[in-house]
Amino acid sequence: MASAAESSRVELCLAGSGSFAVEVAEWAWDAGYRIAGLIELLDRSRAGMTIGGHVELTPDAAGHGRAAAVAAGGSRQAHWARIAPYGWRARTIVHPRAWVSPSAVLGDGCVVGPGAVVGAETVVAEHTLISRGVLVGHHVRVGAFVSLLPGANLASHIRLCDGTVVGMGAVVVDHTTVGGAATIAAGAVVLSDVAEGTRVQGVPARRYEP
C-alpha cells in the first residue's frame, strides 16, 4: 500500500521502455513524480510486462493521469507523435541535482538529468533531453526534440535547431549554429557552423564521409 507521501506525488508515465527509460524513471522519482508505467511504443505484445519494476503500457492505456515525458535519446519527435493523439500531456522533469538558472526557460516535456547545468538567459524548446552532466552555457537557444547526451558541453551564444543530437562528451564552442536534425558525434569539438541534416565528428569536427 502506498504511503501518504507517495500518493500525493503527481502521476507520470514515460514514453519508452528500454534501459534508459528505467533510468529516467529514477530521475522522475527523485524529482517528485510517481511512475505509473512505461509506454511501449513499438511492440504492443509487451503490454502488461514489467521492466525495471515498471509495468508496460500501450499509448491508449486508460486510468492514468495522462501526463508523460519521452524517456528515449534519439527519435524523440517520433516517440511523442505516437502518444500525443491519445491525449497525453507533456511534463517536464528536472532532477534535483541539476542546476537551471532562474533566467533560463524550459519548454514542456524537457528532461534534465542529474549534474546538468543550464545557464543564464538560455531557452530550451519542448521535449529536449539534457542528460547527465551536460553543460549548457548562457544565452543558448536549443530547439525542440534535441538530445544532449551525457557530458556534452555547449558554450555561450549557441543555436541548436530542432532535432539535433549532440553526442557524449562533445563540445560546441561559442557563437555557433547547428542546423536541424544534425548529429555531432561523441567526443567531437565543433568550431564552426554545422549544416542541417549533416553528421560531424573528430577534433576539430568535420563532416562525416562514409
Side-chain angles (χ1 to χ4, degrees):
M1 183 175 180
S3 67
E6 183 176 345
S7 298
S8 67
R9 288 170 173 251
V10 173
E11 187 175 78
L12 178 72
C13 293
L14 297 175
S17 60
S19 56
F20 184 57
V22 175
E23 181 174 11
V24 173
E26 295 178 357
W27 299 354
W29 176 267
D30 290 345
Y33 290 103
R34 179 168 63 87
I35 309 305
L38 307 179
I39 304 172
E40 171 56 51
L41 299 167
L42 302 175
D43 185 0
R44 284 178 171 264
S45 68
R46 297 174 61 174
M49 295 174 61
T50 300
I51 295 181
H54 306 288
V55 65
E56 293 282 303
L57 306 171
T58 56
D60 57 350
H64 297 285
R66 313 306 292 174
V70 177
S75 304
R76 302 179 63 75
Q77 187 166 6
H79 295 331
W80 184 252
R82 289 189 179 99
I83 71 170
Y86 297 98
W88 293 96
R89 301 183 308 277
R91 284 280 186 174
T92 295
I93 300 168
V94 179
H95 193 276
R97 292 200 302 275
W99 185 83
V100 178
S101 168
S103 62
V105 177
L106 298 178
D108 293 339
C110 287
V111 175
V112 183
V117 173
V118 179
E121 302 293 339
T122 283
V123 178
V124 181
E126 63 271 15
H127 299 289
T128 281
L129 166 66
I130 302 175
S131 194
R132 290 175 276 113
V134 170
L135 304 180
V136 181
H138 59 87
H139 296 88
V140 175
R141 297 294 180 264
V142 180
F145 300 102
V146 168
S147 296
L148 305 178
L149 303 185
N153 190 334
L154 310 183
S156 63
H157 297 280
I158 291 168
R159 182 185 177 205
L160 298 184
C161 297
D162 296 352
T164 298
V165 176
V166 181
M168 294 178 64
V171 175
V172 182
V173 303
D174 303 78
H175 301 282
T176 305
T177 296
V178 179
T183 299
I184 299 171
V189 177
V190 175
L191 302 179
S192 58
D193 292 354
V194 176
E196 177 179 355
T198 61
R199 174 189 171 92
V200 297
Q201 62 183 39
V203 182
R206 294 183 175 86
R207 182 167 182 163
Y208 174 65
E209 301 290 350

